[in-house]
Amino acid sequence: MGAKVLERFPAGAPRGSWPAEEYAARCRAEGRPATVIMDLKSDAFLVVVPADED
């Protein structure tokens, strides 16, 4: 199973700020099954959705 990255957010957001989680919540409100994962190699949070099976 693959995933499509919708957006990337640097891990160094100000304390108390969760831009990746907020973006994912907006996506879920629109009906997209968005999830936030941490990419340790790039030190970023990724908002992903399941890849379409073609």
Side-chain angles (χ1 to χ4, degrees), residues 5-29:
V5 177
L6 296 179
E7 193 69 49
R8 296 174 178 271
F9 295 90
R15 187 179 186 120
S17 175
W18 299 92
E21 291 291 347
E22 292 164 359
Y23 182 82
R26 287 193 303 271
C27 291
R28 287 190 294 270

Side-chain angles (χ1 to χ4, degrees), residues 1-12 18-25 28 33-51:
M1 171 160 179
K4 177 181 176 185
V5 177
L6 296 179
E7 193 69 49
R8 296 174 178 271
F9 295 90
W18 299 92
E21 291 291 347
E22 292 164 359
Y23 182 82
R28 287 190 294 270
T35 304
V36 177
I37 61 170
M38 177 69 184
D39 179 13
L40 295 175
K41 189 172 184 178
S42 67
D43 195 31
F45 290 104
L46 310 177
V47 178
V48 299
V49 293

